[in-house]
Amino acid sequence: MHSTMLCIRSIRYHTNKIHGLGLIDLVHGLPINLTTYTLCKLPLLQMNRQLHSLHCNYLQCIIKLKTVPLELKNKGLLRQNPGKNFIFFATRNTHDQSALTSIKSHTGSENLKYFIKPELSLSKAAVIDGKAIAQVIKDEIKTEVSSLVADGKRAPHLSVLLVGNNPASIIYVRNKALAAQYTGISCDILRIPENVSEGEVLKEIEALNRLPEVDGILVQLPLPPNMSERTVCDAVLPGKDVDGFNVLNVGRFCVNQEAFIPATPSGVLEILKRLNINTLGKNAVVCGRSKNVGLPIALHFHASQNKGSTIGDATTTICHRNTPPDQLRHFIKSADILVTATGIPGLVTADMVKDGVVVIDVGITRILDKNGKARLVGDVDFAGVSKKASYITPVPGGVGPVTVAMVIKNTLAAYKNELDYGPWNKSVLPSR
């Protein structure tokens, strides 16, 4: 099976009292634009076995659930929908009895036949719900932290340094604190005036480095112009550097060693993993080469796949501000996977991408619409590109929520000392 599941936007039609179902292609990972299906009504309790045991060449599935089971939540693809507890499997046509026979052999269920109206078309991309994926990650962390506390251990702790009063930074820090609170990880925010010296900030970081009860340290960027981001980020011990900006973490992931990865690239990779999108042999194009976003993403696409991973071994191209427009169009057109992180609204249009491309839009820009109302947009012309892509992240609600969740996930990893930095990690944390 090339793809475990693919969540398509909700649909509504009026036949046999079936309403608001989401369409999922278990085999090809592509939107479905077909005319007739044979549907099989199956008990909810048998769903997990079906998702992993059915290998029909032309199998799709339509799901309507009252509560979303853990197996689907862990993929970050479905949110809770009202309705009855049942699952439908569908074949490409009413004569494909082999698929129906396979379903029946696994479940013993009788087949109930329904038909989708021919005019129903699902040609648009699967819109990736970053909020749902982030919620799954946070729920996983919450479960683990609750278990640690129940065993008498302290909860992990994250310290955030916020220098100055950048409005966007204040919002980002607040979201990270709320996510930590939800999972049971304690968090404190150290507000530092913008006019302090770099040396004072370094002293605060050193104090946090020495505290054994502080597991993760995050310096919210950007910093005031009188401070060197490189100097400040490198002051954080690599084992506490949950944002992955310390030069040792950067160097380690450049040579394919375990490291804390910057939160935004980590979020992009996590989305692809949860969607079971394998980059092996694919053409991956990254627009943007920033040291904290574009470059780390490209390096992971380019690196050799680790055992059990679906990320790596792609033919990777990096485009940037000096890439000629005609070459930019050429490279993007070749992309099987496109990640764009430039902050240029409308940079990628529908005529620039090929059918079935996976689009991860990291860019986020605040613009004014024709009515003078502010709204957030990405680098991609969502309305146009979503008609050709197989998967696409919206802005907002795509990569952003997952980025926040990955900071919290890294904090838990730091607490557990999952990464060995040897002599480079000067603080010796006590046994827990």
Side-chain angles (χ1 to χ4, degrees):
M1 293 171 65
H2 301 296
S3 175
T4 303
M5 58 186 72
L6 170 63
C7 182
I8 308 296
R9 59 185 174 83
S10 294
I11 60 175
R12 180 173 291 275
Y13 51 92
H14 304 282
T15 178
N16 294 293
K17 299 181 180 179
I18 306 174
H19 299 288
L21 305 181
L23 194 60
I24 295 179
D25 183 341
L26 295 180
V27 177
H28 301 100
L30 297 173
I32 300 167
N33 184 11
L34 304 167
T35 56
T36 307
Y37 297 84
T38 301
L39 305 183
C40 307
K41 187 174 181 179
L42 304 177
L44 177 62
L45 294 177
Q46 295 172 333
M47 176 168 19
N48 185 40
R49 186 155 47 122
Q50 306 315 312
L51 294 179
H52 294 286
S53 62
L54 291 172
H55 298 279
C56 308
N57 288 333
Y58 297 101
L59 186 68
Q60 285 90 31
C61 127
I62 295 180
I63 292 180
K64 183 179 182 181
L65 303 169
K66 188 173 184 179
T67 57
V68 179
L70 185 61
E71 291 80 6
L72 295 183
K73 271 192 172 184
N74 284 344
K75 293 293 181 180
L77 298 174
L78 292 179
R79 294 179 121 187
Q80 186 162 320
N81 294 315
K84 296 180 180 179
N85 289 337
F86 54 78
I87 180 171
F88 288 95
F89 283 94
T91 62
R92 282 186 181 267
N93 58 67
T94 57
H95 304 293
D96 188 357
Q97 294 301 318
S98 62
L100 297 179
T101 301
S102 178
I103 294 168
K104 190 171 181 179
S105 68
H106 285 94
T107 66
S109 300
E110 293 299 324
N111 300 321
L112 302 178
K113 293 187 178 181
Y114 300 97
F115 299 93
I116 297 176
K117 290 185 177 181
E119 62 266 27
L120 177 66
S121 174
L122 294 179
S123 59
K124 288 190 175 181
V127 179
I128 300 168
D129 191 339
K131 292 181 180 179
I133 295 176
Q135 188 61 49
V136 171
I137 296 168
K138 290 186 292 186
D139 285 341
E140 292 169 352
I141 298 168
K142 183 177 182 179
T143 298
E144 189 167 352
V145 171
S146 296
S147 178
L148 290 168
V149 173
D151 289 341
K153 299 177 181 178
R154 68 169 178 85
H157 182 83
L158 171 65
S159 289
V160 181
L161 279 77
L162 176 58
V163 184
N165 295 294
N166 183 293
S169 293
I170 292 172
I171 294 173
Y172 294 148
V173 167
R174 182 188 63 193
N175 289 340
K176 291 166 186 174
L178 290 173
Q181 181 182 23
Y182 175 84
T183 62
I185 290 177
S186 60
C187 177
D188 69 296
I189 301 171
L190 181 60
R191 297 290 298 268
I192 301 176
E194 185 173 3
N195 59 357
V196 303
S197 68
E198 180 181 284
E200 289 299 316
V201 174
L202 295 177
K203 287 180 182 178
E204 295 289 352
I205 294 174
E206 180 58 28
L208 294 173
N209 282 338
R210 293 179 181 276
L211 290 176
E213 64 270 22
V214 172
D215 303 293
I217 301 173
L218 185 151
V219 178
Q220 182 63 47
L221 302 181
L223 292 171
N226 64 311
M227 299 182 191
S228 164
E229 289 187 356
R230 173 51 49 211
T231 300
V232 172
C233 290
D234 285 348
V236 178
L237 284 178
K240 295 189 177 189
D241 174 34
V242 294
D243 227 357
F245 291 160
N246 181 290
V247 70
L248 183 62
N249 277 316
V250 175
R252 283 172 64 127
F253 74 66
C254 282
V255 294
N256 211 25
Q257 291 184 3
E258 285 191 334
F260 286 122
I261 304 169
T264 299
S266 184
V268 170
L269 301 177
E270 189 73 12
I271 288 171
L272 295 175
K273 290 174 185 176
R274 301 246 173 190
L275 293 173
N276 199 30
I277 294 174
N278 198 326
T279 65
L280 176 68
K282 301 292 180 61
N283 287 328
V285 175
V286 180
C287 295
R289 59 179 177 182
S290 72
K291 303 301 183 289
N292 297 335
V293 181
L295 183 60
I297 293 171
L299 287 171
H300 277 84
F301 284 160
H302 172 74
S304 299
Q305 283 191 354
N306 293 320
K307 185 177 181 181
S309 175
T310 58
I311 305 299
D313 283 317
T315 301
T316 307
T317 302
I318 302 176
C319 300
H320 49 78
R321 69 186 65 187
N322 293 316
T323 303
D326 60 327
Q327 290 298 299
L328 177 66
R329 181 177 292 270
H330 167 75
F331 290 129
I332 290 177
K333 193 73 172 181
S334 70
D336 301 305
I337 300 167
L338 173 65
V339 179
T340 176
T342 67
I344 303 175
L347 175 69
V348 179
T349 55
D351 61 309
M352 298 172 69
V353 302
K354 67 181 182 182
D355 290 334
V357 63
V358 175
V359 179
I360 307 295
D361 192 349
V362 183
I364 184 165
T365 306
R366 187 179 298 273
I367 65 169
L368 297 178
D369 62 19
K370 60 182 179 181
N371 298 318
K373 186 177 180 180
R375 65 187 182 95
L376 297 176
V377 298
D379 296 347
V380 174
D381 173 22
F382 184 87
V385 174
S386 64
K387 294 178 181 179
K388 298 180 71 175
S390 57
Y391 295 82
I392 191 169
T393 57
V395 176
V399 176
V402 185
T403 295
V404 173
M406 296 310 293
V407 170
I408 309 306
K409 186 174 182 178
N410 281 349
T411 302
L412 178 59
Y415 168 90
K416 295 161 62 179
N417 295 323
E418 288 185 352
L419 303 180
D420 181 14
Y421 290 92
W424 296 102
N425 219 36
K426 296 179 183 178
S427 292
V428 179
L429 301 183
S431 61
R432 312 204 190 269

